[in-house]
Amino acid sequence: MDVTTDANAPWLIVGLGNPGPEYAMNRHNVGFMVADLLAERIGGRFKRAGKAQAQIVEGRLGPPGTGSRRVVLAKPMSFMNVSGGPVNALRDFYKVPVANIVAVHDELDIDYGVLRLKLGGGDNGHNGLKSMTKVMGPDYHRVRFGIGRPPGRMQVADFVLKDFSSAERKELDYFVDRAADAAAALVLEGLERAQSTYNS
């Protein structure tokens, strides 16, 4: 179900991940990868966001004129498990309704590369979502990027903090591109239309 929000209010698209080059290609950092691609598309470069512990890009998504939406792209620089603080600070500063927030994150319970878009719900053990929900409640949008389950007896924490495998990397650019399309569609067309296109 779509939530009606102020048409003039900005959207906040948050890529979840961990800061630092050692984490850059981790499965847990796919949200950062999607945010970087969206920033490239709107011609922006990430910069520090004042007092908020985050990097941001401000711009517009969609065709110029009435069809475009003002967006703030964000990458919290606080580490995954305390992402909620920086996101909430940006929400306050830009006066973004919670329903206009989109978290892009890795999802263990979905096969690699599969997308699921939804509004609200639980955190499914994801520490970034857990932190966001703790400070804002659960009623924000999510673009869930499937990374699959760990093989064998590998611990979840080890799996998400490992880089994508060489086999996965062959398709990673395509899947990140598709996730960026999905996030943009959610903002521009609404949840239900975006779901019908991208919830494979």
Side-chain angles (χ1 to χ4, degrees):
M1 181 174 95
D2 283 345
V3 171
T4 304
T5 59
D6 176 359
N8 297 315
W11 282 76
L12 175 60
I13 302 177
V14 181
L16 292 177
N18 286 308
E22 67 271 35
Y23 299 105
M25 289 305 295
N26 286 183
R27 293 181 178 95
H28 224 18
N29 268 45
V30 74
F32 275 19
M33 297 174 200
V34 174
D36 285 337
L37 180 57
L38 284 167
E40 202 177 293
R41 288 183 182 182
I42 65 174
R45 302 185 76 167
F46 278 99
K47 64 179 191 292
R48 285 300 291 221
K51 293 179 181 175
Q53 208 176 350
Q55 290 186 351
I56 60 159
V57 171
E58 295 179 60
R60 297 193 80 85
L61 269 181
T66 55
S68 69
R69 293 280 185 276
R70 184 177 162 221
V71 294
V72 180
L73 308 174
K75 298 191 293 186
M77 293 285 117
S78 57
F79 287 96
M80 181 69 87
N81 60 351
V82 285
S83 301
V87 176
N88 202 39
L90 292 171
R91 177 180 77 91
D92 284 347
F93 182 79
Y94 288 101
K95 297 179 171 48
V96 180
V98 173
N100 276 28
I101 296 173
V102 182
V104 184
H105 64 92
D106 57 306
E107 179 63 63
L108 286 159
D109 287 338
I110 304 175
D111 290 341
Y112 174 60
V114 173
L115 297 177
R116 291 281 186 275
L117 280 63
K118 71 173 195 169
L119 172 65
D123 56 58
N124 206 20
H126 192 288
N127 287 331
L129 298 182
K130 196 176 293 184
S131 178
M132 286 179 61
T133 296
K134 186 176 178 182
V135 294
M136 298 185 306
D139 298 327
Y140 51 91
H141 289 87
R142 299 104 191 273
V143 174
R144 305 157 75 206
F145 184 111
I147 59 169
R149 300 295 302 184
R153 296 185 177 181
M154 185 187 287
Q155 294 293 313
V156 165
D158 295 332
F159 179 69
V160 299
L161 292 175
K162 278 200 177 344
D163 288 358
F164 284 102
S165 69
S166 54
E168 288 169 333
R169 280 201 295 271
K170 289 176 183 171
E171 295 183 289
L172 183 59
D173 286 350
Y174 168 75
F175 289 141
V176 167
D177 192 72
R178 194 162 183 273
D181 288 346
L186 196 163
V187 169
L188 294 169
E189 300 171 17
L191 178 62
E192 289 181 10
R193 286 189 66 180
Q195 283 175 325
S196 69
T197 304
Y198 295 98
N199 278 18
S200 40

